[in-house]
Amino acid sequence: MYALTQLASEEMENPLLPPMPELIIGLIAFLIVFGFLGKKLLPNINKVLEERRAAIEGGMEKAEAAQAEAQQVLEDYRAQLADARHEAARLRQEAQEQGVALIAEMRSEGQRQREEIIAAGHAQVEADRKSAAAALRQDVGQLAIDLAGRIVGESLTEAERQSRTIDRFLDSLEVKAADETKAEATR
């Protein structure tokens, strides 16, 4: 019977539940390990997690600061770019104004040089006309003296007489030319 009771008591025990002394020993060991982990390991884990959180937050603050600085640099760059564009437009405008002034100056200089060239040409033409008239007067005078000498039959070699004769002859030609010019103008 004792064997039967023991057998019955063993049958009554749940096979999933460990024996009570093992359960108590396991519970004590668990509490010791849990206490050890709570006292030694958990503060280290919390410390590492806190350092990591601080590093992440510091990194985020640094990133925000860097982003703000980058934004400021971008705004400065845009302002400098706008200033450079305004300066370039101003320089372009000044260059155009200087170009217009330079063109006007060159035109006036060209006009002045043209007037000088024309005046010099007129002076040269007048000088050439006078020298041609003097040479022509001399040649015509000599021809007139020769012709008059042949007509008159006497030699007109005296210089003073020649000069007077030439002057009278040419003066009469000039008077006739002036009269013809006046007559044409009145028509």
Side-chain angles (χ1 to χ4, degrees), residues 82-180:
D83 289 344
R85 285 183 179 151
H86 290 301
E87 182 68 17
R90 185 186 64 78
L91 289 174
R92 246 189 333 268
Q93 181 66 28
E94 284 180 8
Q96 287 175 346
E97 290 171 0
Q98 289 175 353
V100 168
L102 186 61
I103 288 171
E105 183 180 324
M106 292 308 248
R107 280 185 182 157
S108 67
E109 178 66 21
Q111 187 72 15
R112 185 189 61 76
Q113 287 178 356
R114 183 183 71 112
E115 293 297 325
E116 286 178 1
I117 290 170
I118 289 172
H122 285 302
Q124 184 66 36
V125 166
E126 184 63 27
D128 289 346
R129 186 188 68 77
K130 285 181 181 180
S131 77
L136 184 61
R137 186 174 212 138
Q138 182 112 18
D139 290 345
V140 168
Q142 188 62 38
L143 288 173
I145 289 173
D146 290 344
L147 184 60
R150 286 185 190 163
I151 290 175
V152 172
E154 68 179 71
S155 177
L156 300 174
T157 56
E158 204 176 290
E160 190 176 305
R161 188 183 291 172
Q162 283 179 356
S163 179
R164 281 193 314 256
T165 306
I166 291 170
D167 288 337
R168 271 193 321 253
F169 177 71
L170 290 177
D171 289 340
S172 69
L173 285 178
E174 287 177 1
V175 168
K176 283 182 184 179
D179 289 341
E180 287 177 7

Side-chain angles (χ1 to χ4, degrees), residues 17-43:
L17 288 177
M20 198 51 120
E22 284 181 15
L23 190 61
I24 292 174
I25 291 174
L27 186 61
I28 292 172
F30 176 76
L31 288 175
I32 290 172
V33 168
F34 187 75
F36 174 75
L37 288 176
K39 293 282 183 181
K40 295 286 185 190
L41 196 57
L42 190 60

